[in-house]
Amino acid sequence: MSEKILRLENITMQFGGVIAVNNMNLEVGEGEIVSLIGPNGAGKTTAFNVITGVYQPTNGAVWYRGEKIVENYPQGKMRKLYKGEHAGEYTHALAPTPDKITRMGMARTFQNIRLWKDQTVFDNVLTAMHCRATCNLLTATFHLNRQEEARQRQRVEELLAEVNLSDVSGEKANSLPYGKQRRLEIARALATDPQLLLLDEPAAGMNPQETDELTAFIGEIRTKFGLTVFLIEHHMDLVMDISDRIYVLDFGKLIADGTPAEIQNNQRVIDAYLGVAEDA
Ligand SMILES: Nc1ncnc2c1ncn2[C@@H]1O[C@H](COP(=O)(O)OP(=O)(O)OP(=O)(O)O)[C@@H](O)[C@H]1O
């Protein structure tokens, strides 16, 4: 099996009385495309939010490229609840901010498109690239030297060509058809030069043709950019076509993992999700 680029160890995320993610253990190998599927409210986006530093988990650790990057040692009542085999290993909380995690080489897109709608396609990508290169908005805005600015503009042009958006480079983001807006979101994530790309429902709202194009596109960028992809998706055609492996989440708990063929034939998954999705 390939080297693990991402590993979740005993991740629990609790909001008041709701346990959104319940003791999740999973691994994503270098170069894989892995999907996380499950019914609405199963905890998929919450898991992404923990991985990318939006939420500090109630318990557990996230490892990235062999390094522990997120960890929590439960306090107070929680400490009692989670004092398990690994509790002694959690000596302090590690909680990097999302931008720090981006700079480690992890990029993400969101369920709802989050583009700078009035900016051009080019400027959307350039801004994302600035953030990675300088980590400081003031520096990004005012102090880039000319040589660096020219290098970045060149890189944006190359990136837009690689994702087939060169022809709309000067258009405003909100004037693009929906499928291209999604593609632009992914281009923005790629501008931060990630090794691991997390896609949260990239095909949401797409018609079948757009979904097919996106499926091919994700495969292409994996190869072109040497990426590992971890994605959440409800479009089962896309998931089954593209995934090396699939994890299934239900009410915060992983109930299965395996290849697409194994998952499609898993009775527990059919009962909890696939059967329902097909009937819907
Ligand atoms: N910030 C929050 N505060 C309180 N509860 C939350 C918060 N974020 C998520 N939840 C709850 O956690 C549970 C899991 O939500 P989550 O959005 O992770 O599910 P999901 O699997 O991504 O669903 P969907 O497929 O609909 O996007 C839900 O019950 C949700 O209401």
Side-chain angles (χ1 to χ4, degrees), residues 11-15 43-58 62 69-72 94-102 104 106-111 114 198 200 232:
I11 289 292
T12 292
M13 185 74 228
Q14 190 163 351
F15 301 105
K44 304 179 296 294
T45 297
T46 302
F48 268 28
N49 283 335
V50 168
I51 296 167
T52 54
V54 176
Y55 297 143
Q56 185 181 23
T58 317
V62 177
I69 60 162
V70 168
E71 145 182 79
N72 194 20
L94 254 181
T97 51
D99 64 308
K100 194 161 179 210
I101 288 182
T102 304
M104 289 176 192
M106 227 190 267
R108 158 185 199 178
T109 64
F110 293 85
Q111 216 166 317
R114 294 188 180 186
L198 293 102
D200 192 347
I232 295 172

Side-chain angles (χ1 to χ4, degrees), residues 10-13 19-26 36-39 41-44 47 82 247-257 268-269 272-273:
N10 304 123
I11 289 292
T12 292
M13 185 74 228
I19 302 180
V21 175
N22 192 345
N23 199 29
M24 179 185 268
N25 288 281
L26 64 75
L36 180 61
I37 64 170
K44 304 179 296 294
Y82 296 110
Y247 284 95
V248 188
L249 196 60
D250 190 29
F251 291 109
K253 277 209 161 266
L254 286 175
I255 58 166
D257 68 274
R268 194 164 170 205
V269 178
Y273 182 52

Side-chain angles (χ1 to χ4, degrees), residues 117 170 192 213 236:
K117 292 188 187 307
T192 67
E213 284 168 12
M236 282 307 109

